[in-house]
Amino acid sequence: MSDGNNIDSGSTCTPTVAGDLPNADPLLGPLQNNPPGPSFLETRVPLAGSPAIDAAAGCPPPATDERGVARPQGAACDIGAVEVSAVTPTTTLPSGEVCGNCMDDDGDGRTDYEDPACCTQSAAMRVKKVVIVPGPAGAMKGHLTLAAILAQTAFADVDPTRDDVTVQLRNQNGELLCVNISHQRWKRPRRRGPSVFGDPTGALAQGLRTMKITIPKNGSTRFTAAGKKMDLGRYARPELTATVRVGNRCSTGSVALRNRGKKKFVFP
């Protein structure tokens, strides 16, 4: 018997009640590891436009999804095992790459906003500082600190309280982090002060707890981020490519990190 608000790709679950969606494509991504869950946990994430998003009833409970992400992330909980962050509008390029779904759709090694075609304006990021403590493989014990200049002048009018933000990190082992943060999650406590994101739980941005975008008088755009209790066990190569998108503008930079002992990678 159904309690309502279930999705059935066919029509075998009968009888249906109010809120049930028979013969509906749930629009799920591939079965894969989707952080912040441990590396052995594979799930299928509702994609943009999925009828599962904000469609559950009587929720919470449970207070978290299968990966430990707080529910709800949007107006209501999502149907299924995965609670997605506020969905960023997606754009499909002629190459087949979909901008905004955190997947390398066209197989060129560049996911979403690493591809300049996904942005109307791109800039070369100047990475100032990186500290990565991977932690044990499959364990949520990694730590991350990142500081960078997104652009010297061209991004001086970006506003994360108006435009959504995407943060992507990868090395040769693949995508380490890809998260879209809705502009509603950013605050500017002072009119001319920095824009800040804060989440003590780390559930909203795959372990990132704090982020800040500052634009000093010289017009440069500075970005900092810090996270802990993250699954960074795949970080075993001394390089990092970071991408930050604000609205329709993106900044990407790569650095070679130094291996400080067996438990930490740093730059410079």
Side-chain angles (χ1 to χ4, degrees):
M1 300 296 293
S2 173
D3 287 329
N5 296 81
N6 292 299
I7 298 175
D8 182 4
S9 59
S11 57
T12 59
C13 293
T14 56
T16 59
V17 299
D20 285 343
L21 295 173
N23 299 305
D25 184 349
L27 296 177
L28 302 179
L31 184 65
Q32 61 184 17
N33 175 250
N34 293 295
S39 58
F40 63 82
L41 177 63
E42 294 186 335
T43 51
R44 299 185 66 183
V45 174
L47 302 177
S50 168
I53 295 174
D54 295 344
C59 171
T64 65
D65 73 357
E66 186 175 359
R67 304 164 303 156
V69 173
R71 305 174 80 206
Q73 291 284 311
C77 294
D78 302 335
I79 294 174
V82 179
E83 184 75 13
V84 297
S85 300
V87 177
T88 299
T90 60
T91 302
T92 302
L93 302 178
S95 66
E97 179 68 25
V98 178
C99 306
N101 67 349
C102 287
M103 291 190 291
D104 179 15
D105 302 279
D106 58 5
D108 67 352
R110 298 183 299 184
T111 298
D112 285 5
Y113 302 104
E114 295 171 19
D115 192 329
C118 284
C119 292
T120 59
Q121 187 173 356
S122 299
M125 179 187 298
R126 182 184 173 192
V127 179
K128 301 283 288 183
K129 178 182 179 181
V130 180
V131 177
I132 292 180
V133 182
M140 308 294 287
K141 295 185 178 181
H143 297 256
L144 167 73
T145 301
L146 171 67
I149 298 176
L150 302 184
Q152 289 295 340
T153 57
F155 286 22
D157 60 342
V158 296
D159 184 357
T161 67
R162 178 192 62 211
D163 299 315
D164 296 347
V165 176
T166 299
V167 179
Q168 298 176 231
L169 303 176
R170 69 168 172 85
N171 66 1
Q172 291 184 1
N173 286 343
E175 205 79 7
L176 300 172
L177 181 145
C178 179
V179 61
N180 297 309
I181 304 101
S182 169
H183 64 277
Q184 289 97 335
R185 300 290 183 177
W186 287 79
K187 306 295 180 184
R188 185 182 292 117
R190 292 182 290 113
R191 181 180 178 183
R192 298 186 181 276
S195 300
V196 297
F197 165 87
D199 174 28
T201 70
L204 298 176
Q206 298 180 10
L208 294 178
R209 308 294 177 103
T210 60
M211 284 182 277
K212 182 186 295 185
I213 293 179
T214 307
I215 303 175
K217 291 183 179 180
N218 64 7
S220 63
T221 305
R222 301 173 183 269
F223 174 81
T224 60
K228 60 182 180 180
K229 294 185 178 180
M230 305 172 70
D231 181 9
L232 297 173
R234 288 184 298 147
Y235 195 88
R237 302 288 294 273
E239 70 275 333
L240 178 73
T241 296
T243 298
V244 177
R245 173 194 71 99
V246 185
N248 57 10
R249 285 178 278 188
C250 309
S251 176
T252 299
S254 298
V255 291
L257 277 64
R258 294 182 291 115
N259 190 336
R260 181 171 290 178
K262 297 182 178 180
K263 298 182 179 180
K264 182 183 292 187
F265 296 89
V266 299
F267 178 86

